[in-house]
Amino acid sequence: MTDTIFALSSGAPPAAIGVVRVSGPQARDAMLALAGRVPAPRRAALGRLRDRQGAVIDEALVLWLPGPGTETGEDTVELQCHGGRAVIAAVETALAALPGLRRAKPGEFTRRAFINGKIDLAEAEGLADLLEAETELQRLSAMAMAGGAFSREVEGWREELLSLSAAVEAVLDFADEDDVATLPADFALKVASLSSAIKTWLDRPRAELLKEGFRVVIAGPPNAGKSTLFNCLVEAEAAIATPIAGTTRDVLTRPVAIAGVPFLFADTAGLHDTVDDVVEAIGIERALEALDRADLVLWLGPEGTGPAGAWEVEAQTDRGGHISKLAPRHRISARTGDGIEELRADLVETASAALPRPGEAALNERQHDLLADARAALVQAAEQSDPLLMAESLRVARVAFDTLLGRTATEDLLDTLFGRFCIGK
């Protein structure tokens, strides 16, 4: 890369401080042009920033960070300015006027860190998740991935795989010799051990569940108290709750964190057989689809008529004539609050068991699929008797590991990933 990029790397102005970062071969010249000098490496210095006409823009702390020992692996400059809109705009205008400099695209600083070997693809994905984290569980999981927990596992597996491949290659090399080489006695055991270690990761809860939230669908017949319970759980008047049957016509969702655990609650149309209204029929169809996607269903209808595995909830206990149940998991009144705290605590405990543990790295769909491919190749290798076919299966597993870490990544994949980042990151 021959061009030099710059962007505001701190929060949007106005703010107390605005950090403008410059990365690339012209970074040092840019500092010299704006600050008039280049301080000692990695030592903050006070400087006056000027535009091309010599007018003072701001007084700022400036840092010169020569590569490759930087976040991007390139020469880097940080200008810690006052965070007013006019100041930041003036600094960016002055930088844009310099030859060889341009504004950074979303995620471009992180992309350069990846290209220059400062982070691998799994760590970059973890960093993207960290920037989007909204709950403590999401933050801790993203930190584990961004910190290289998964990458270190993959690197260890890859080393084991290379050792196994070397043993097979030795057999192939001596196939035409009188002294035919044989596989080590513990070869099969090592393949099985590696396959088992990978399966442990594949069996972990997925990152999508952590990111999207534990999906809880509230279902039942019309006027069972679904919308009132939904509003109570999300602590907002998100759904229209009235005594009129059929008020809810569509699936209404709301993400909420309870005790740091991410949930996605869904209110649905009342389920019943006789439907003359076309719009209501569509709402019921969508409600049934939501039940299929649910991690948990709170069933407010007659006992035993809900989906398999649903929690029986006796709702509207403050009202006479409500749907009573012999053995509900919870008895509640969303209007008075009776039983709601117990329901919330039960939901948190259940969701926590289904989600990744705090600080545990979780695989996204791409990582899970590649790891599954690697394990399938190892299983196939263990079943082969022909060393040539065995070597090919091990090669397929190695390619999957390399793809996981980004050693073989397509531009489309990189564009999609780094496009998730904000400008300046």
PDB file of all heavy atoms in Angstrom, residues 239-263:
ATOM      1  N   ALA A 239     -46.016  -2.681  22.694  1.00  0.00           N
ATOM      2  CA  ALA A 239     -47.141  -3.319  22.012  1.00  0.00           C
ATOM      3  C   ALA A 239     -48.446  -2.695  22.499  1.00  0.00           C
ATOM      4  O   ALA A 239     -48.570  -2.292  23.651  1.00  0.00           O
ATOM      5  CB  ALA A 239     -47.150  -4.821  22.289  1.00  0.00           C
ATOM      6  N   ILE A 240     -49.414  -2.619  21.599  1.00  0.00           N
ATOM      7  CA  ILE A 240     -50.736  -2.116  21.965  1.00  0.00           C
ATOM      8  C   ILE A 240     -51.485  -3.230  22.677  1.00  0.00           C
ATOM      9  O   ILE A 240     -51.710  -4.307  22.112  1.00  0.00           O
ATOM     10  CB  ILE A 240     -51.516  -1.665  20.718  1.00  0.00           C
ATOM     11  CG1 ILE A 240     -50.766  -0.530  20.008  1.00  0.00           C
ATOM     12  CG2 ILE A 240     -52.916  -1.230  21.097  1.00  0.00           C
ATOM     13  CD1 ILE A 240     -51.389  -0.135  18.687  1.00  0.00           C
ATOM     14  N   ALA A 241     -51.846  -2.989  23.932  1.00  0.00           N
ATOM     15  CA  ALA A 241     -52.543  -3.989  24.726  1.00  0.00           C
ATOM     16  C   ALA A 241     -53.954  -3.496  25.020  1.00  0.00           C
ATOM     17  O   ALA A 241     -54.143  -2.487  25.693  1.00  0.00           O
ATOM     18  CB  ALA A 241     -51.789  -4.259  26.025  1.00  0.00           C
ATOM     19  N   THR A 242     -54.957  -4.194  24.471  1.00  0.00           N
ATOM     20  CA  THR A 242     -56.361  -3.833  24.684  1.00  0.00           C
ATOM     21  C   THR A 242     -57.179  -5.100  24.906  1.00  0.00           C
ATOM     22  O   THR A 242     -56.719  -6.203  24.593  1.00  0.00           O
ATOM     23  CB  THR A 242     -56.946  -3.092  23.462  1.00  0.00           C
ATOM     24  OG1 THR A 242     -57.201  -4.035  22.417  1.00  0.00           O
ATOM     25  CG2 THR A 242     -56.011  -2.005  22.966  1.00  0.00           C
ATOM     26  N   PRO A 243     -58.401  -4.966  25.438  1.00  0.00           N
ATOM     27  CA  PRO A 243     -59.265  -6.148  25.590  1.00  0.00           C
ATOM     28  C   PRO A 243     -59.830  -6.644  24.268  1.00  0.00           C
ATOM     29  O   PRO A 243     -60.491  -7.674  24.229  1.00  0.00           O
ATOM     30  CB  PRO A 243     -60.403  -5.632  26.503  1.00  0.00           C
ATOM     31  CG  PRO A 243     -59.922  -4.338  27.062  1.00  0.00           C
ATOM     32  CD  PRO A 243     -58.996  -3.771  26.057  1.00  0.00           C
ATOM     33  N   ILE A 244     -59.580  -5.924  23.185  1.00  0.00           N
ATOM     34  CA  ILE A 244     -60.140  -6.292  21.885  1.00  0.00           C
ATOM     35  C   ILE A 244     -59.313  -7.415  21.277  1.00  0.00           C
ATOM     36  O   ILE A 244     -58.095  -7.290  21.106  1.00  0.00           O
ATOM     37  CB  ILE A 244     -60.166  -5.081  20.933  1.00  0.00           C
ATOM     38  CG1 ILE A 244     -60.966  -3.929  21.564  1.00  0.00           C
ATOM     39  CG2 ILE A 244     -60.737  -5.464  19.584  1.00  0.00           C
ATOM     40  CD1 ILE A 244     -60.881  -2.641  20.786  1.00  0.00           C
ATOM     41  N   ALA A 245     -59.973  -8.518  20.910  1.00  0.00           N
ATOM     42  CA  ALA A 245     -59.267  -9.647  20.309  1.00  0.00           C
ATOM     43  C   ALA A 245     -58.679  -9.262  18.955  1.00  0.00           C
ATOM     44  O   ALA A 245     -59.294  -8.520  18.187  1.00  0.00           O
ATOM     45  CB  ALA A 245     -60.227 -10.826  20.140  1.00  0.00           C
ATOM     46  N   GLY A 246     -57.493  -9.794  18.680  1.00  0.00           N
ATOM     47  CA  GLY A 246     -56.879  -9.560  17.369  1.00  0.00           C
ATOM     48  C   GLY A 246     -56.165  -8.224  17.251  1.00  0.00           C
ATOM     49  O   GLY A 246     -55.882  -7.779  16.141  1.00  0.00           O
ATOM     50  N   THR A 247     -55.855  -7.564  18.386  1.00  0.00           N
ATOM     51  CA  THR A 247     -55.152  -6.276  18.317  1.00  0.00           C
ATOM     52  C   THR A 247     -53.768  -6.448  17.697  1.00  0.00           C
ATOM     53  O   THR A 247     -53.333  -5.662  16.863  1.00  0.00           O
ATOM     54  CB  THR A 247     -55.023  -5.662  19.720  1.00  0.00           C
ATOM     55  OG1 THR A 247     -56.326  -5.474  20.262  1.00  0.00           O
ATOM     56  CG2 THR A 247     -54.302  -4.331  19.652  1.00  0.00           C
ATOM     57  N   THR A 248     -53.059  -7.490  18.120  1.00  0.00           N
ATOM     58  CA  THR A 248     -51.726  -7.755  17.567  1.00  0.00           C
ATOM     59  C   THR A 248     -51.872  -8.508  16.253  1.00  0.00           C
ATOM     60  O   THR A 248     -52.429  -9.602  16.215  1.00  0.00           O
ATOM     61  CB  THR A 248     -50.876  -8.577  18.556  1.00  0.00           C
ATOM     62  OG1 THR A 248     -50.789  -7.867  19.791  1.00  0.00           O
ATOM     63  CG2 THR A 248     -49.479  -8.809  18.004  1.00  0.00           C
ATOM     64  N   ARG A 249     -51.371  -7.914  15.168  1.00  0.00           N
ATOM     65  CA  ARG A 249     -51.514  -8.511  13.839  1.00  0.00           C
ATOM     66  C   ARG A 249     -50.197  -9.023  13.266  1.00  0.00           C
ATOM     67  O   ARG A 249     -50.193  -9.726  12.272  1.00  0.00           O
ATOM     68  CB  ARG A 249     -52.100  -7.459  12.870  1.00  0.00           C
ATOM     69  CG  ARG A 249     -53.487  -6.965  13.235  1.00  0.00           C
ATOM     70  CD  ARG A 249     -54.514  -8.090  13.166  1.00  0.00           C
ATOM     71  NE  ARG A 249     -55.875  -7.628  13.311  1.00  0.00           N
ATOM     72  CZ  ARG A 249     -56.703  -7.347  12.306  1.00  0.00           C
ATOM     73  NH1 ARG A 249     -56.283  -7.472  11.064  1.00  0.00           N
ATOM     74  NH2 ARG A 249     -57.932  -6.947  12.531  1.00  0.00           N
ATOM     75  N   ASP A 250     -49.085  -8.635  13.871  1.00  0.00           N
ATOM     76  CA  ASP A 250     -47.778  -9.018  13.340  1.00  0.00           C
ATOM     77  C   ASP A 250     -46.879  -9.425  14.492  1.00  0.00           C
ATOM     78  O   ASP A 250     -47.231  -9.256  15.666  1.00  0.00           O
ATOM     79  CB  ASP A 250     -47.173  -7.851  12.557  1.00  0.00           C
ATOM     80  CG  ASP A 250     -46.146  -8.296  11.521  1.00  0.00           C
ATOM     81  OD1 ASP A 250     -45.758  -9.480  11.565  1.00  0.00           O
ATOM     82  OD2 ASP A 250     -45.744  -7.471  10.695  1.00  0.00           O
ATOM     83  N   VAL A 251     -45.704  -9.956  14.179  1.00  0.00           N
ATOM     84  CA  VAL A 251     -44.728 -10.298  15.208  1.00  0.00           C
ATOM     85  C   VAL A 251     -43.956  -9.029  15.560  1.00  0.00           C
ATOM     86  O   VAL A 251     -43.333  -8.411  14.701  1.00  0.00           O
ATOM     87  CB  VAL A 251     -43.765 -11.394  14.715  1.00  0.00           C
ATOM     88  CG1 VAL A 251     -42.707 -11.680  15.769  1.00  0.00           C
ATOM     89  CG2 VAL A 251     -44.530 -12.659  14.368  1.00  0.00           C
ATOM     90  N   LEU A 252     -44.020  -8.657  16.831  1.00  0.00           N
ATOM     91  CA  LEU A 252     -43.324  -7.466  17.306  1.00  0.00           C
ATOM     92  C   LEU A 252     -42.155  -7.922  18.167  1.00  0.00           C
ATOM     93  O   LEU A 252     -42.337  -8.683  19.123  1.00  0.00           O
ATOM     94  CB  LEU A 252     -44.269  -6.583  18.126  1.00  0.00           C
ATOM     95  CG  LEU A 252     -43.697  -5.293  18.709  1.00  0.00           C
ATOM     96  CD1 LEU A 252     -43.240  -4.355  17.596  1.00  0.00           C
ATOM     97  CD2 LEU A 252     -44.733  -4.609  19.599  1.00  0.00           C
ATOM     98  N   THR A 253     -40.942  -7.485  17.827  1.00  0.00           N
ATOM     99  CA  THR A 253     -39.754  -7.905  18.574  1.00  0.00           C
ATOM    100  C   THR A 253     -39.086  -6.712  19.232  1.00  0.00           C
ATOM    101  O   THR A 253     -39.169  -5.583  18.741  1.00  0.00           O
ATOM    102  CB  THR A 253     -38.737  -8.616  17.660  1.00  0.00           C
ATOM    103  OG1 THR A 253     -38.321  -7.717  16.625  1.00  0.00           O
ATOM    104  CG2 THR A 253     -39.340  -9.870  17.044  1.00  0.00           C
ATOM    105  N   ARG A 254     -38.416  -6.992  20.338  1.00  0.00           N
ATOM    106  CA  ARG A 254     -37.676  -5.935  21.033  1.00  0.00           C
ATOM    107  C   ARG A 254     -36.477  -6.573  21.753  1.00  0.00           C
ATOM    108  O   ARG A 254     -36.660  -7.485  22.555  1.00  0.00           O
ATOM    109  CB  ARG A 254     -38.580  -5.248  22.045  1.00  0.00           C
ATOM    110  CG  ARG A 254     -37.923  -4.127  22.831  1.00  0.00           C
ATOM    111  CD  ARG A 254     -37.528  -2.951  21.953  1.00  0.00           C
ATOM    112  NE  ARG A 254     -38.672  -2.286  21.356  1.00  0.00           N
ATOM    113  CZ  ARG A 254     -39.331  -1.274  21.931  1.00  0.00           C
ATOM    114  NH1 ARG A 254     -38.966  -0.843  23.119  1.00  0.00           N
ATOM    115  NH2 ARG A 254     -40.329  -0.697  21.287  1.00  0.00           N
ATOM    116  N   PRO A 255     -35.238  -6.113  21.434  1.00  0.00           N
ATOM    117  CA  PRO A 255     -34.063  -6.623  22.153  1.00  0.00           C
ATOM    118  C   PRO A 255     -33.950  -5.961  23.525  1.00  0.00           C
ATOM    119  O   PRO A 255     -34.143  -4.751  23.663  1.00  0.00           O
ATOM    120  CB  PRO A 255     -32.898  -6.215  21.237  1.00  0.00           C
ATOM    121  CG  PRO A 255     -33.400  -5.002  20.513  1.00  0.00           C
ATOM    122  CD  PRO A 255     -34.885  -5.166  20.367  1.00  0.00           C
ATOM    123  N   VAL A 256     -33.639  -6.757  24.530  1.00  0.00           N
ATOM    124  CA  VAL A 256     -33.526  -6.264  25.901  1.00  0.00           C
ATOM    125  C   VAL A 256     -32.417  -7.038  26.600  1.00  0.00           C
ATOM    126  O   VAL A 256     -32.243  -8.240  26.354  1.00  0.00           O
ATOM    127  CB  VAL A 256     -34.857  -6.458  26.674  1.00  0.00           C
ATOM    128  CG1 VAL A 256     -34.687  -6.080  28.142  1.00  0.00           C
ATOM    129  CG2 VAL A 256     -35.966  -5.633  26.067  1.00  0.00           C
ATOM    130  N   ALA A 257     -31.675  -6.368  27.450  1.00  0.00           N
ATOM    131  CA  ALA A 257     -30.690  -7.049  28.293  1.00  0.00           C
ATOM    132  C   ALA A 257     -31.235  -7.103  29.717  1.00  0.00           C
ATOM    133  O   ALA A 257     -31.632  -6.081  30.271  1.00  0.00           O
ATOM    134  CB  ALA A 257     -29.358  -6.318  28.262  1.00  0.00           C
ATOM    135  N   ILE A 258     -31.271  -8.307  30.285  1.00  0.00           N
ATOM    136  CA  ILE A 258     -31.697  -8.489  31.667  1.00  0.00           C
ATOM    137  C   ILE A 258     -30.529  -9.099  32.430  1.00  0.00           C
ATOM    138  O   ILE A 258     -30.040 -10.178  32.067  1.00  0.00           O
ATOM    139  CB  ILE A 258     -32.928  -9.409  31.773  1.00  0.00           C
ATOM    140  CG1 ILE A 258     -34.092  -8.868  30.941  1.00  0.00           C
ATOM    141  CG2 ILE A 258     -33.358  -9.575  33.232  1.00  0.00           C
ATOM    142  CD1 ILE A 258     -35.315  -9.767  30.938  1.00  0.00           C
ATOM    143  N   ALA A 259     -30.068  -8.384  33.450  1.00  0.00           N
ATOM    144  CA  ALA A 259     -28.906  -8.834  34.235  1.00  0.00           C
ATOM    145  C   ALA A 259     -27.706  -9.110  33.325  1.00  0.00           C
ATOM    146  O   ALA A 259     -26.937 -10.041  33.561  1.00  0.00           O
ATOM    147  CB  ALA A 259     -29.256 -10.072  35.057  1.00  0.00           C
ATOM    148  N   GLY A 260     -27.555  -8.291  32.278  1.00  0.00           N
ATOM    149  CA  GLY A 260     -26.429  -8.436  31.362  1.00  0.00           C
ATOM    150  C   GLY A 260     -26.585  -9.524  30.323  1.00  0.00           C
ATOM    151  O   GLY A 260     -25.679  -9.743  29.516  1.00  0.00           O
ATOM    152  N   VAL A 261     -27.724 -10.217  30.315  1.00  0.00           N
ATOM    153  CA  VAL A 261     -27.963 -11.298  29.358  1.00  0.00           C
ATOM    154  C   VAL A 261     -28.841 -10.769  28.224  1.00  0.00           C
ATOM    155  O   VAL A 261     -29.908 -10.205  28.482  1.00  0.00           O
ATOM    156  CB  VAL A 261     -28.656 -12.496  30.041  1.00  0.00           C
ATOM    157  CG1 VAL A 261     -28.967 -13.584  29.023  1.00  0.00           C
ATOM    158  CG2 VAL A 261     -27.782 -13.042  31.162  1.00  0.00           C
ATOM    159  N   PRO A 262     -28.423 -10.932  26.971  1.00  0.00           N
ATOM    160  CA  PRO A 262     -29.212 -10.402  25.851  1.00  0.00           C
ATOM    161  C   PRO A 262     -30.402 -11.290  25.512  1.00  0.00           C
ATOM    162  O   PRO A 262     -30.270 -12.506  25.376  1.00  0.00           O
ATOM    163  CB  PRO A 262     -28.205 -10.363  24.691  1.00  0.00           C
ATOM    164  CG  PRO A 262     -27.243 -11.470  25.012  1.00  0.00           C
ATOM    165  CD  PRO A 262     -27.155 -11.531  26.509  1.00  0.00           C
ATOM    166  N   PHE A 263     -31.563 -10.670  25.383  1.00  0.00           N
ATOM    167  CA  PHE A 263     -32.784 -11.358  24.972  1.00  0.00           C
ATOM    168  C   PHE A 263     -33.373 -10.672  23.749  1.00  0.00           C
ATOM    169  O   PHE A 263     -33.155  -9.479  23.526  1.00  0.00           O
ATOM    170  CB  PHE A 263     -33.839 -11.329  26.086  1.00  0.00           C
ATOM    171  CG  PHE A 263     -33.556 -12.212  27.263  1.00  0.00           C
ATOM    172  CD1 PHE A 263     -32.820 -11.739  28.344  1.00  0.00           C
ATOM    173  CD2 PHE A 263     -34.017 -13.517  27.289  1.00  0.00           C
ATOM    174  CE1 PHE A 263     -32.560 -12.551  29.431  1.00  0.00           C
ATOM    175  CE2 PHE A 263     -33.758 -14.342  28.378  1.00  0.00           C
ATOM    176  CZ  PHE A 263     -33.033 -13.857  29.452  1.00  0.00           C
TER     177      PHE A 263
END
